[in-house]
Amino acid sequence: MDLVPALQEPLKKVLGPATAKVMAEHLGLHTVGDLLHHYPRRYEERGQLTHLADLPMDEHVTVVAQVADARLHTFASSKAPRGKGQRLEVTITDGSGRLQLVFFGNGVHKPHKELLPGTRAMFAGKVSVFNRRLQLAHPAYELLRGDTEGEESVESWAGALIPLYPATAKLESWKLAKAIQTVLPSAQEAVDPLPESLREGRGLVSLPEALLKIHRPHTKADIADARARLKWDEAFVLQIALARRRHAETQLPAVPRKPGPDGLLTAFDDRLPFTLTDGQQKVSREIFDDLATDHPMHRLLQGEVGSGKTLVALRAMLAVVDSGGQAVMLAPTEVLAQQHHRSVVEMMGELAEGGMLGGAEHATKVVLLTGSMGAAARRHALLDLATGEAGIVIGTHALIEDKVQFHDLGLVVVDEQHRFGVEQRDALRGKGKQPPHLLVMTATPIPRTVAMTVFGDLETSVLDQLPAGRSPIASHVVPAADKPHFLARAWERVREEVSNGHQAYVVCPRIGDEDDDPKKGAKQSKQPPEGDADKRPPLAVLDVAESLAKGPLQGLKVEVLHGRMQPDDKDAVMRRFAAGETDVLVATTVIEVGVNVPNATAMVIMDADRFGVSQLHQLRGRVGRGSAPGLCLLVSEMPEASAARQRLNAVASTRDGFELSRIDLEQRREGDVLGQAQSGARTSLRVLAVIEDEEIIAEARQEAAAVVAADPELTGLPGLRTALEALLDEEREQYLEKG
């Protein structure tokens, strides 16, 4: 069934080509339906004024205020040398604060006539500072003319709710409001995606009614009704997409993989020098139960930094090798692939020497495959894969190439899920005779609701215990601008760690070579810039390394590591650092994931405010991996009161990754979190808040599972099928697999 034509109508037919072009380019809105789903961000009550006292700098704002004063000045300038330049200064107030508006040149005539003292209006523009005072230069404005006949209409006018829309400099909120009023009649034709029984059972209003109430509410209760209904739509349609995916996976056949009683896994467990934590044992049982079934396992293994995920994954791989299959581990970078290979071979000892002299009885071969390998080594590795000689394969994207053939692929382990797209996962999956089992590992703790929303097609296991022997990490914020002597002390601490026989990392947001554009560097940081520290480009590895080697860390062995180095050079630097030959490694976030050097005890993160909360937590997890305690110093020039500093204080005050990921999510809009998951396509969540609406998401997941179990093709629910197609054209449905 097609979408209702009225909602598919292109905006340029309804609003004209100029407005439609701005809406498409700046807000991603193309059809009448898109515009109806562009909801108000908040509502202004005419009687209740916005606080001018809390205006944010450099942001586009809409305020409702009254003109207190308006003065026209003339001045001389290069364009008007004889004192004919004109400047109109208007002061507006809302009782909490005052704000100056300025208009220049020919732009002064209309506001001079209209903005008389006592006039109320909505003003929109970008807040800037001039002469130490906040101002809006050339704001757009809309006069609020009340019909003043009779007390009642004044009351209703003052109490009316004015929708304020997410707007851009090119399109103010009230222009959007006018455009929406134009298309609002089409809302009557919106097809309801919710099954009738569900909607009535939960007491939700119909979709046309919800759209009318959200754009033209008479009371706050209208807004609440509309939001409750629209939240359900978003949660439910998304969970239907995930439930259909899960259902499709359970229909696929897979070879059950059970470890033999006295095979490779038993031999491996016998040589472990420690016992597994309760968490590792519980998660291993969940994985082995999945592997024993005849449809593919799809499991997400979340583990705190250093909780022993790799060991759990390795035991699953050994179980598959025991049953005659092959297991592959896919890592996002060569450095990581080499590191996993080294640590797996170390953990397995002679069990990794299959086919060699001195190899143990149950041994298998552990092969590394990366893009930068020499031709001969690569040929050899490919042969071991094809013949089945290699039971365990560890590699990068190179494993996905057409040339790579497996003898019998039974399990795919993906490390650091967020770096792999669904196409890559599917390409690797296609290399099995039947779909292999899949285990996805992530060290970024994900709040339960996000796991349900983003990774809803995967079963989840969580490792939240740290193994015995891991040391505590102390974290501190170093306010470099307010207290420069704190930064000097930070470098002294690094020297102290080195003199005690340890090593340190220094992390910077960007590389600093010629191709390195500061703008790109700024993009790497997940956080919005604030204040003056943003006026300079982020600190760069090459500059910082040079100034440290010549200055505070003179005499220490300082090396650099970043993503644009040749793979061999990167590996050589990591090897020297791991071997203890380098004292201080100055790096970008390439060290964020999986780098394991137990002797590294200190980390200094420069411009720490440029990184996301979860990213800082990841980075910090690289120290304190041995028996000595770790130290992480978060250096920032941001002022104490800024949101950036509050984020850093949160990171310094807790080691609980799940708590931090929750803070991260509350501070960045969910759209960013889910936007990453959906390939950068416009996030589908507009009113659903992943943290606050935990109950709705959990209930929607249950309802969706029941609906899909009863009717996987949704044949009886044409409205829901339509909504699903609108949310996820084919490509987006694929991308829900977290590209």
Side-chain angles (χ1 to χ4, degrees):
M1 162 181 169
D2 287 325
L3 257 175
V4 180
L7 296 198
Q8 272 192 321
E9 187 85 52
L11 287 173
K12 64 170 172 248
K13 278 196 177 165
V14 190
L15 304 173
T19 309
K21 184 169 184 245
V22 176
M23 285 193 178
E25 282 176 8
H26 293 274
L27 296 168
L29 307 174
H30 303 277
T31 64
V32 167
D34 289 345
L35 185 54
L36 285 174
H37 287 295
H38 186 74
Y39 308 132
R41 182 170 40 199
R42 59 192 178 90
Y43 300 85
E44 219 19 289
E45 281 183 85
R46 283 203 175 110
Q48 165 222 322
L49 301 173
T50 330
H51 293 307
L52 289 179
D54 315 329
L55 287 180
M57 272 297 297
D58 284 340
E59 274 192 33
H60 284 280
V61 296
T62 302
V63 296
V64 175
Q66 191 161 9
V67 176
D69 178 40
R71 294 177 187 199
L72 191 62
H73 302 275
T74 53
F75 60 93
S77 71
S78 56
K79 287 185 183 162
R82 288 201 296 277
K84 292 285 171 59
Q86 288 191 308
R87 180 173 81 245
L88 176 65
E89 291 179 2
V90 178
T91 307
I92 58 171
T93 178
D94 65 356
S96 76
R98 294 166 87 80
L99 178 66
Q100 191 161 44
L101 317 177
V102 285
F103 301 88
F104 292 101
N106 295 334
V108 303
H109 305 306
K110 185 166 175 275
H112 191 215
K113 282 207 297 275
E114 294 182 334
L115 297 178
L116 303 171
T119 309
R120 289 165 56 78
M122 278 204 287
F123 301 92
K126 191 173 181 182
V127 183
S128 58
V129 169
F130 181 71
N131 277 345
R132 313 194 84 165
R133 286 169 69 189
L134 290 183
Q135 69 166 25
L136 296 183
H138 278 285
Y141 62 88
E142 176 93 333
L143 300 180
L144 297 175
R145 295 194 175 87
D147 172 7
T148 47
E149 291 170 27
E151 276 305 298
E152 278 170 38
S153 55
V154 171
E155 279 303 300
S156 66
W157 180 80
L161 294 159
I162 306 167
L164 295 182
Y165 290 89
T168 71
K170 294 267 193 306
L171 202 63
E172 292 89 14
S173 170
W174 54 80
K175 288 189 182 160
L176 273 162
K178 281 181 179 162
I180 286 166
Q181 294 300 347
T182 308
V183 300
L184 207 49
S186 309
Q188 292 303 340
E189 298 179 49
V191 176
D192 207 316
L194 293 189
E196 191 69 16
S197 57
L198 189 156
R199 188 170 74 70
E200 286 174 359
R202 295 196 172 269
L204 298 167
V205 301
S206 70
L207 181 57
E209 191 182 335
L211 289 171
L212 284 171
K213 281 184 167 175
I214 200 141
H215 291 298
R216 199 185 276 167
H218 295 298
T219 61
K220 288 185 175 169
D222 283 354
I223 300 171
D225 285 351
R227 289 179 69 85
R229 163 61 215 247
L230 296 166
K231 279 182 180 188
W232 252 94
D233 280 17
E234 288 182 6
F236 184 68
V237 174
L238 193 57
Q239 292 300 338
I240 284 282
L242 292 164
R244 288 188 67 187
R245 214 179 162 89
R246 283 199 303 277
H247 181 267
E249 303 288 10
T250 59
Q251 306 305 303
L252 294 172
V255 179
R257 308 280 178 177
K258 295 178 184 167
D262 293 314
L264 188 53
L265 180 60
T266 311
F268 175 75
D269 283 349
D270 290 345
R271 50 169 288 133
L272 279 178
F274 50 82
T275 52
L276 300 178
T277 64
D278 295 346
Q280 286 173 321
Q281 289 178 359
K282 174 177 156 285
V283 169
S284 290
R285 279 196 298 277
E286 292 170 349
I287 291 171
F288 290 152
D289 289 349
D290 282 0
L291 289 173
T293 60
D294 53 10
H295 56 82
M297 162 170 85
H298 280 95
R299 194 165 277 282
L300 173 70
L301 173 55
Q302 290 192 54
E304 267 290 14
V305 180
S307 58
K309 291 183 301 296
T310 313
L311 178 63
V312 169
L314 177 56
R315 292 184 74 237
M317 294 165 86
L318 295 173
V320 169
V321 175
D322 258 354
S323 70
Q326 289 169 294
V328 63
M329 182 185 272
L330 199 51
T333 64
E334 297 216 350
V335 168
L336 255 181
Q338 286 156 341
Q339 187 143 354
H340 276 314
H341 182 253
R342 272 202 297 278
S343 62
V344 164
V345 169
E346 270 167 34
M347 280 197 267
M348 287 176 63
E350 73 240 29
L351 297 175
E353 294 170 2
M356 301 182 210
L357 280 173
E361 173 195 355
H362 297 294
T364 186
K365 219 176 198 180
V366 180
V367 168
L368 177 70
L369 186 66
T370 63
S372 64
M373 283 168 77
R378 188 180 170 77
R379 244 194 335 272
H380 208 100
L382 288 171
L383 191 63
D384 285 343
L385 264 61
T387 59
E389 185 88 4
I392 293 181
V393 187
I394 296 170
T396 54
H397 297 72
L399 283 167
I400 297 168
E401 290 171 16
D402 293 343
K403 292 199 243 358
V404 180
Q405 296 299 323
F406 291 89
H407 177 65
D408 178 15
L409 181 57
L411 169 67
V412 176
V413 179
V414 180
D415 187 16
E416 281 310 306
Q417 163 62 9
H418 58 278
R419 295 164 189 246
F420 278 101
V422 60
E423 298 95 335
Q424 295 155 322
R425 220 157 91 173
D426 283 345
L428 199 53
R429 192 184 280 170
K431 296 197 179 280
K433 295 189 176 71
Q434 281 194 320
H437 298 280
L438 175 71
L439 179 65
V440 170
M441 299 197 296
T442 174
T444 310
I446 304 163
R448 175 172 155 259
T449 38
V450 181
M452 282 193 292
T453 311
V454 182
F455 296 95
D457 54 336
L458 298 168
E459 298 301 322
T460 307
S461 295
V462 177
L463 270 179
D464 46 15
Q465 269 176 303
L466 287 188
R470 286 301 299 265
S471 303
I473 302 174
S475 305
H476 303 284
V477 178
V478 177
D482 316 346
K483 300 181 178 165
H485 59 286
F486 276 38
L487 184 57
R489 175 72 188 119
W491 301 127
E492 281 171 28
R493 285 290 290 116
V494 170
R495 291 195 86 98
E496 285 163 19
E497 290 298 312
V498 172
S499 63
N500 289 335
H502 298 303
Q503 293 158 278
Y505 298 99
V506 176
V507 182
C508 304
R510 107 191 143 93
I511 299 172
D513 54 12
E514 282 66 54
D515 316 343
D516 194 26
D517 175 356
K519 288 195 186 95
K520 285 188 201 152
K523 242 188 214 160
Q524 280 182 8
S525 74
K526 305 276 193 302
Q527 301 299 343
E530 302 162 65
D532 295 336
D534 182 57
K535 299 292 187 276
R536 61 163 172 76
L539 291 172
V541 166
L542 301 178
D543 307 338
V544 169
E546 189 181 353
S547 69
L548 287 178
K550 287 179 178 166
L553 302 185
Q554 198 169 5
L556 301 187
K557 179 92 168 67
V558 177
E559 287 211 65
V560 301
L561 180 71
H562 59 74
R564 271 209 287 277
M565 289 165 64
Q566 289 304 313
D568 292 354
D569 297 343
K570 263 194 269 193
D571 196 42
V573 168
M574 264 326 293
R575 276 225 172 89
R576 286 196 291 275
F577 190 65
E581 295 165 23
T582 307
D583 298 322
V584 179
L585 187 62
V586 184
T588 54
T589 52
V590 290
I591 62 152
E592 176 184 351
V593 177
V595 171
N596 188 19
V597 180
N599 191 43
T601 52
M603 175 178 285
V604 182
I605 303 178
M606 307 303 291
D607 279 348
D609 46 90
R610 307 260 180 172
F611 299 99
V613 171
S614 297
Q615 205 175 17
L616 291 169
H617 182 60
Q618 283 296 314
L619 287 164
R620 166 170 68 183
R622 300 302 113 213
V623 293
R625 299 179 79 84
S627 52
L631 172 69
C632 177
L633 300 174
L634 306 166
V635 180
S636 169
E637 293 183 4
M638 284 298 167
E640 185 142 12
S642 63
R645 275 285 285 283
Q646 286 161 11
R647 277 198 305 276
L648 297 182
N649 292 339
V651 175
S653 64
T654 176
R655 284 295 321 279
D656 179 347
F658 286 91
E659 177 56 28
L660 284 175
S661 65
R662 208 175 165 96
I663 292 169
D664 198 13
L665 192 58
E666 282 166 0
Q667 293 196 336
R668 295 154 53 180
R669 291 188 342 278
E670 289 86 8
D672 305 344
V673 180
L674 300 177
Q676 288 176 340
Q678 295 175 358
S679 81
R682 228 164 9 107
T683 169
S684 55
L685 296 198
R686 295 189 180 82
V687 282
L688 192 70
V690 178
I691 290 277
E692 292 157 31
D693 299 323
E694 188 161 349
E695 277 174 34
I696 294 178
I697 292 169
E699 289 170 16
R701 182 178 170 131
Q702 279 180 328
E703 295 271 13
V707 166
V708 169
D711 180 4
E713 292 307 309
L714 309 179
T715 26
L717 297 164
L720 178 55
R721 230 178 37 240
T722 301
L724 195 61
E725 283 156 16
L727 171 71
L728 313 166
D729 41 47
E730 266 309 292
E731 177 205 16
R732 287 279 291 288
E733 176 138 33
Q734 292 298 316
Y735 262 114
L736 267 177
E737 275 244 341
K738 300 22 96 197

